[in-house]
Amino acid sequence: MTLSTMPPIFDGHNDLLLRLYLGETTATKVREGGANTQIDLPRAHKGGFAGGMFAIFTPDPPGETQGVDGMMGATYDLALPDRLDPDPALRAAIAQVSHFLELEQTGSIIACRTAAEIDAALDKPEMAAVLHLEGADCIDADLRSLHVLHALGLRSLGPVWSRKTRWAEGVPFRFPSTGDTGPGLTEDGKRLVRECNRLGIAIDLSHLNEKGFDDIAAMTDAPLIATHCNAYALCPHARNLTDRQLDVIAESGGMVGVNFAAAFLRPDGQMNADFDLDVVIRHFDYLIGKLGENGVGFGSDFDGATIPRDIADVSGLPNLRKAMVDAGYGEALMKKLCHENWTDVLRRTWGG
Ligand SMILES: [Zn+2]
């Protein structure tokens, strides 16, 4: 197998919509290149990045954003950001949906609502894009906005980012720490999960604390999915999954997308891009060992994190794929890791 025949990559998580929302790039730059982001269409073609989950994410209010500087020490424990008011969070979410629509109208993405649509889009020049909500801060108690977002194409939702919501509580950016950092789902949170199950919206366990994780595992028959997390055994960060959690995911037939954020990969937990791709391979190896060859994929966090210098942006993905082939991953396994496992688990979750 040569690198030029590598299978296309469908990825579990990116934050390009946030970059558009913050005015750091435009739909024109995404289509034509020249953007100061980690994803645009020309570089996606170069890297074999065929698409993924595009997250809606409400940032902290201006001036309250936590930078990566806080994740450079030997240990750290960033405070959980304040809970957001749902109304401005909904305005931010709707604005990001409008950017998603604009990317589709200008030929950068194909919005996908089924696994068959993802499969069909993988070989097209546009990126296959599934609309995801990272942190349900914008959803109202009556779940009306959930239904509206579902009608607009939302097919995946994480109840929390690293802040409290009406539904649950996320883990802080804390190292070293397990994810057992707070209470589980609220009664409202259980209602949200049940409604997502009913609507066929995948639930993303990334960012949830361990009690919230266990609450969802106990109440859903859907495969358990963590779109962008790594192995706690290799990097003891609160954002990573312990062996016990990986066993629970494996039992459900679920999967984990490997996150490229430096702080969740490096054994020292530092958000510093200066390290070798062997570190990423070790997480792939470990997760495949725990979850099997059908339980692992990509969960890059492009445009939301500090990425290893030898990847840097989507055009650097061939370097990682070469490292995977050099590590002995054969053609069938590469196909699974690059996209088949994602389309398979989403097909089982969504039903078709
Ligand atoms: Zn995230």
Side-chain angles (χ1 to χ4, degrees), residues 73-77 172-179 181 232 235-239 267-269:
T75 66
Y76 50 83
D77 185 7
F173 290 94
R174 181 185 296 171
F175 181 91
S177 170
T178 67
T181 58
Y232 175 87
C235 168
H237 194 292
R239 272 283 281 108
D268 65 5

PDB file of all heavy atoms in Angstrom, residues 73-77 172-179 181 232 235-239 267-269:
ATOM      1  N   GLY A  73       2.271  23.695  32.868  1.00  0.00           N
ATOM      2  CA  GLY A  73       3.022  23.337  34.070  1.00  0.00           C
ATOM      3  C   GLY A  73       3.084  21.827  34.276  1.00  0.00           C
ATOM      4  O   GLY A  73       2.448  21.059  33.549  1.00  0.00           O
ATOM      5  N   ALA A  74       3.843  21.403  35.285  1.00  0.00           N
ATOM      6  CA  ALA A  74       3.951  19.974  35.604  1.00  0.00           C
ATOM      7  C   ALA A  74       2.604  19.430  36.069  1.00  0.00           C
ATOM      8  O   ALA A  74       2.249  18.282  35.797  1.00  0.00           O
ATOM      9  CB  ALA A  74       5.009  19.757  36.685  1.00  0.00           C
ATOM     10  N   THR A  75       1.861  20.275  36.793  1.00  0.00           N
ATOM     11  CA  THR A  75       0.474  19.951  37.152  1.00  0.00           C
ATOM     12  C   THR A  75      -0.342  21.219  36.940  1.00  0.00           C
ATOM     13  O   THR A  75       0.211  22.321  36.940  1.00  0.00           O
ATOM     14  CB  THR A  75       0.338  19.525  38.631  1.00  0.00           C
ATOM     15  OG1 THR A  75       0.656  20.645  39.462  1.00  0.00           O
ATOM     16  CG2 THR A  75       1.263  18.374  38.980  1.00  0.00           C
ATOM     17  N   TYR A  76      -1.621  21.069  36.738  1.00  0.00           N
ATOM     18  CA  TYR A  76      -2.490  22.245  36.630  1.00  0.00           C
ATOM     19  C   TYR A  76      -3.931  21.852  36.932  1.00  0.00           C
ATOM     20  O   TYR A  76      -4.295  20.667  36.855  1.00  0.00           O
ATOM     21  CB  TYR A  76      -2.381  22.921  35.252  1.00  0.00           C
ATOM     22  CG  TYR A  76      -2.518  22.002  34.057  1.00  0.00           C
ATOM     23  CD1 TYR A  76      -3.760  21.637  33.563  1.00  0.00           C
ATOM     24  CD2 TYR A  76      -1.384  21.496  33.415  1.00  0.00           C
ATOM     25  CE1 TYR A  76      -3.877  20.802  32.452  1.00  0.00           C
ATOM     26  CE2 TYR A  76      -1.493  20.653  32.306  1.00  0.00           C
ATOM     27  CZ  TYR A  76      -2.751  20.316  31.836  1.00  0.00           C
ATOM     28  OH  TYR A  76      -2.865  19.478  30.753  1.00  0.00           O
ATOM     29  N   ASP A  77      -4.725  22.836  37.246  1.00  0.00           N
ATOM     30  CA  ASP A  77      -6.130  22.611  37.581  1.00  0.00           C
ATOM     31  C   ASP A  77      -6.898  23.890  37.286  1.00  0.00           C
ATOM     32  O   ASP A  77      -7.026  24.758  38.141  1.00  0.00           O
ATOM     33  CB  ASP A  77      -6.261  22.218  39.058  1.00  0.00           C
ATOM     34  CG  ASP A  77      -7.688  21.851  39.423  1.00  0.00           C
ATOM     35  OD1 ASP A  77      -8.544  21.779  38.505  1.00  0.00           O
ATOM     36  OD2 ASP A  77      -7.943  21.650  40.619  1.00  0.00           O
ATOM     37  N   PRO A 172     -12.875  19.493  34.553  1.00  0.00           N
ATOM     38  CA  PRO A 172     -11.982  20.641  34.370  1.00  0.00           C
ATOM     39  C   PRO A 172     -10.734  20.219  33.604  1.00  0.00           C
ATOM     40  O   PRO A 172     -10.462  19.026  33.471  1.00  0.00           O
ATOM     41  CB  PRO A 172     -11.623  21.039  35.814  1.00  0.00           C
ATOM     42  CG  PRO A 172     -11.776  19.781  36.609  1.00  0.00           C
ATOM     43  CD  PRO A 172     -12.815  18.944  35.921  1.00  0.00           C
ATOM     44  N   PHE A 173      -9.996  21.207  33.080  1.00  0.00           N
ATOM     45  CA  PHE A 173      -8.687  20.904  32.491  1.00  0.00           C
ATOM     46  C   PHE A 173      -7.722  20.730  33.657  1.00  0.00           C
ATOM     47  O   PHE A 173      -7.155  21.687  34.171  1.00  0.00           O
ATOM     48  CB  PHE A 173      -8.266  22.008  31.523  1.00  0.00           C
ATOM     49  CG  PHE A 173      -9.107  22.012  30.274  1.00  0.00           C
ATOM     50  CD1 PHE A 173     -10.233  22.818  30.175  1.00  0.00           C
ATOM     51  CD2 PHE A 173      -8.808  21.169  29.218  1.00  0.00           C
ATOM     52  CE1 PHE A 173     -11.036  22.791  29.045  1.00  0.00           C
ATOM     53  CE2 PHE A 173      -9.603  21.132  28.080  1.00  0.00           C
ATOM     54  CZ  PHE A 173     -10.720  21.953  27.997  1.00  0.00           C
ATOM     55  N   ARG A 174      -7.610  19.489  34.105  1.00  0.00           N
ATOM     56  CA  ARG A 174      -6.850  19.171  35.325  1.00  0.00           C
ATOM     57  C   ARG A 174      -5.883  18.027  35.033  1.00  0.00           C
ATOM     58  O   ARG A 174      -6.283  17.018  34.431  1.00  0.00           O
ATOM     59  CB  ARG A 174      -7.812  18.780  36.446  1.00  0.00           C
ATOM     60  CG  ARG A 174      -7.117  18.454  37.768  1.00  0.00           C
ATOM     61  CD  ARG A 174      -8.120  17.947  38.791  1.00  0.00           C
ATOM     62  NE  ARG A 174      -9.118  18.952  39.167  1.00  0.00           N
ATOM     63  CZ  ARG A 174     -10.196  18.690  39.918  1.00  0.00           C
ATOM     64  NH1 ARG A 174     -10.423  17.469  40.349  1.00  0.00           N
ATOM     65  NH2 ARG A 174     -11.046  19.646  40.223  1.00  0.00           N
ATOM     66  N   PHE A 175      -4.634  18.195  35.457  1.00  0.00           N
ATOM     67  CA  PHE A 175      -3.602  17.176  35.241  1.00  0.00           C
ATOM     68  C   PHE A 175      -2.668  17.132  36.433  1.00  0.00           C
ATOM     69  O   PHE A 175      -2.184  18.174  36.869  1.00  0.00           O
ATOM     70  CB  PHE A 175      -2.794  17.496  33.982  1.00  0.00           C
ATOM     71  CG  PHE A 175      -1.730  16.469  33.687  1.00  0.00           C
ATOM     72  CD1 PHE A 175      -1.989  15.375  32.885  1.00  0.00           C
ATOM     73  CD2 PHE A 175      -0.451  16.599  34.232  1.00  0.00           C
ATOM     74  CE1 PHE A 175      -1.009  14.431  32.624  1.00  0.00           C
ATOM     75  CE2 PHE A 175       0.531  15.646  33.975  1.00  0.00           C
ATOM     76  CZ  PHE A 175       0.248  14.571  33.172  1.00  0.00           C
ATOM     77  N   PRO A 176      -2.390  15.972  37.012  1.00  0.00           N
ATOM     78  CA  PRO A 176      -3.045  14.700  36.701  1.00  0.00           C
ATOM     79  C   PRO A 176      -4.369  14.586  37.456  1.00  0.00           C
ATOM     80  O   PRO A 176      -4.494  15.112  38.560  1.00  0.00           O
ATOM     81  CB  PRO A 176      -2.031  13.671  37.198  1.00  0.00           C
ATOM     82  CG  PRO A 176      -1.312  14.358  38.330  1.00  0.00           C
ATOM     83  CD  PRO A 176      -1.297  15.818  37.994  1.00  0.00           C
ATOM     84  N   SER A 177      -5.292  13.872  36.851  1.00  0.00           N
ATOM     85  CA  SER A 177      -6.586  13.632  37.503  1.00  0.00           C
ATOM     86  C   SER A 177      -7.373  12.626  36.680  1.00  0.00           C
ATOM     87  O   SER A 177      -7.282  12.623  35.450  1.00  0.00           O
ATOM     88  CB  SER A 177      -7.389  14.930  37.578  1.00  0.00           C
ATOM     89  OG  SER A 177      -8.718  14.685  37.997  1.00  0.00           O
ATOM     90  N   THR A 178      -8.157  11.799  37.342  1.00  0.00           N
ATOM     91  CA  THR A 178      -9.155  11.024  36.607  1.00  0.00           C
ATOM     92  C   THR A 178     -10.309  11.972  36.280  1.00  0.00           C
ATOM     93  O   THR A 178     -10.324  13.136  36.683  1.00  0.00           O
ATOM     94  CB  THR A 178      -9.725   9.864  37.450  1.00  0.00           C
ATOM     95  OG1 THR A 178     -10.490  10.424  38.533  1.00  0.00           O
ATOM     96  CG2 THR A 178      -8.627   8.965  37.981  1.00  0.00           C
ATOM     97  N   GLY A 179     -11.278  11.468  35.569  1.00  0.00           N
ATOM     98  CA  GLY A 179     -12.456  12.258  35.244  1.00  0.00           C
ATOM     99  C   GLY A 179     -13.519  12.215  36.326  1.00  0.00           C
ATOM    100  O   GLY A 179     -14.633  12.703  36.132  1.00  0.00           O
ATOM    101  N   THR A 181     -14.712  13.912  38.810  1.00  0.00           N
ATOM    102  CA  THR A 181     -14.513  15.256  39.362  1.00  0.00           C
ATOM    103  C   THR A 181     -15.800  15.936  39.821  1.00  0.00           C
ATOM    104  O   THR A 181     -15.756  17.080  40.258  1.00  0.00           O
ATOM    105  CB  THR A 181     -13.854  16.162  38.305  1.00  0.00           C
ATOM    106  OG1 THR A 181     -14.696  16.183  37.137  1.00  0.00           O
ATOM    107  CG2 THR A 181     -12.472  15.656  37.911  1.00  0.00           C
ATOM    108  N   TYR A 232      -6.277   7.412  29.418  1.00  0.00           N
ATOM    109  CA  TYR A 232      -5.781   7.898  30.712  1.00  0.00           C
ATOM    110  C   TYR A 232      -4.513   7.147  31.128  1.00  0.00           C
ATOM    111  O   TYR A 232      -3.611   7.726  31.743  1.00  0.00           O
ATOM    112  CB  TYR A 232      -6.885   7.716  31.759  1.00  0.00           C
ATOM    113  CG  TYR A 232      -6.472   8.075  33.161  1.00  0.00           C
ATOM    114  CD1 TYR A 232      -6.571   9.386  33.611  1.00  0.00           C
ATOM    115  CD2 TYR A 232      -5.989   7.101  34.035  1.00  0.00           C
ATOM    116  CE1 TYR A 232      -6.187   9.723  34.901  1.00  0.00           C
ATOM    117  CE2 TYR A 232      -5.599   7.432  35.318  1.00  0.00           C
ATOM    118  CZ  TYR A 232      -5.707   8.742  35.742  1.00  0.00           C
ATOM    119  OH  TYR A 232      -5.313   9.073  37.019  1.00  0.00           O
ATOM    120  N   CYS A 235      -1.773   9.069  29.456  1.00  0.00           N
ATOM    121  CA  CYS A 235      -1.754  10.500  29.757  1.00  0.00           C
ATOM    122  C   CYS A 235      -2.843  10.766  30.794  1.00  0.00           C
ATOM    123  O   CYS A 235      -4.027  10.841  30.439  1.00  0.00           O
ATOM    124  CB  CYS A 235      -2.005  11.310  28.488  1.00  0.00           C
ATOM    125  SG  CYS A 235      -2.354  13.069  28.791  1.00  0.00           S
ATOM    126  N   PRO A 236      -2.467  10.850  32.072  1.00  0.00           N
ATOM    127  CA  PRO A 236      -3.485  10.922  33.133  1.00  0.00           C
ATOM    128  C   PRO A 236      -4.127  12.306  33.255  1.00  0.00           C
ATOM    129  O   PRO A 236      -3.988  13.002  34.249  1.00  0.00           O
ATOM    130  CB  PRO A 236      -2.692  10.544  34.385  1.00  0.00           C
ATOM    131  CG  PRO A 236      -1.283  10.959  34.090  1.00  0.00           C
ATOM    132  CD  PRO A 236      -1.089  10.789  32.611  1.00  0.00           C
ATOM    133  N   HIS A 237      -4.845  12.683  32.197  1.00  0.00           N
ATOM    134  CA  HIS A 237      -5.567  13.963  32.159  1.00  0.00           C
ATOM    135  C   HIS A 237      -7.046  13.684  32.423  1.00  0.00           C
ATOM    136  O   HIS A 237      -7.571  12.647  31.990  1.00  0.00           O
ATOM    137  CB  HIS A 237      -5.373  14.605  30.778  1.00  0.00           C
ATOM    138  CG  HIS A 237      -5.771  16.049  30.722  1.00  0.00           C
ATOM    139  ND1 HIS A 237      -7.075  16.476  30.844  1.00  0.00           N
ATOM    140  CD2 HIS A 237      -5.025  17.170  30.568  1.00  0.00           C
ATOM    141  CE1 HIS A 237      -7.112  17.805  30.760  1.00  0.00           C
ATOM    142  NE2 HIS A 237      -5.885  18.250  30.595  1.00  0.00           N
ATOM    143  N   ALA A 238      -7.720  14.617  33.092  1.00  0.00           N
ATOM    144  CA  ALA A 238      -9.142  14.427  33.403  1.00  0.00           C
ATOM    145  C   ALA A 238      -9.984  14.216  32.144  1.00  0.00           C
ATOM    146  O   ALA A 238     -11.045  13.594  32.204  1.00  0.00           O
ATOM    147  CB  ALA A 238      -9.668  15.630  34.191  1.00  0.00           C
ATOM    148  N   ARG A 239      -9.509  14.714  30.991  1.00  0.00           N
ATOM    149  CA  ARG A 239     -10.256  14.583  29.728  1.00  0.00           C
ATOM    150  C   ARG A 239     -10.134  13.188  29.110  1.00  0.00           C
ATOM    151  O   ARG A 239     -10.818  12.884  28.133  1.00  0.00           O
ATOM    152  CB  ARG A 239      -9.756  15.631  28.723  1.00  0.00           C
ATOM    153  CG  ARG A 239     -10.446  16.969  28.811  1.00  0.00           C
ATOM    154  CD  ARG A 239     -11.838  16.929  28.169  1.00  0.00           C
ATOM    155  NE  ARG A 239     -11.772  17.007  26.725  1.00  0.00           N
ATOM    156  CZ  ARG A 239     -12.015  16.017  25.890  1.00  0.00           C
ATOM    157  NH1 ARG A 239     -12.337  14.819  26.356  1.00  0.00           N
ATOM    158  NH2 ARG A 239     -11.960  16.190  24.589  1.00  0.00           N
ATOM    159  N   PRO A 267       2.521  12.236  27.849  1.00  0.00           N
ATOM    160  CA  PRO A 267       2.512  11.695  29.220  1.00  0.00           C
ATOM    161  C   PRO A 267       2.628  12.787  30.283  1.00  0.00           C
ATOM    162  O   PRO A 267       2.176  12.591  31.413  1.00  0.00           O
ATOM    163  CB  PRO A 267       3.756  10.791  29.249  1.00  0.00           C
ATOM    164  CG  PRO A 267       4.058  10.462  27.829  1.00  0.00           C
ATOM    165  CD  PRO A 267       3.571  11.620  27.003  1.00  0.00           C
ATOM    166  N   ASP A 268       3.210  13.953  29.912  1.00  0.00           N
ATOM    167  CA  ASP A 268       3.352  15.039  30.893  1.00  0.00           C
ATOM    168  C   ASP A 268       2.202  16.046  30.834  1.00  0.00           C
ATOM    169  O   ASP A 268       2.218  17.043  31.558  1.00  0.00           O
ATOM    170  CB  ASP A 268       4.698  15.757  30.718  1.00  0.00           C
ATOM    171  CG  ASP A 268       4.820  16.480  29.373  1.00  0.00           C
ATOM    172  OD1 ASP A 268       3.825  16.500  28.613  1.00  0.00           O
ATOM    173  OD2 ASP A 268       5.897  17.026  29.093  1.00  0.00           O
ATOM    174  N   GLY A 269       1.203  15.816  29.985  1.00  0.00           N
ATOM    175  CA  GLY A 269       0.009  16.645  29.972  1.00  0.00           C
ATOM    176  C   GLY A 269       0.195  18.079  29.499  1.00  0.00           C
ATOM    177  O   GLY A 269      -0.710  18.905  29.667  1.00  0.00           O
TER     178      GLY A 269
END
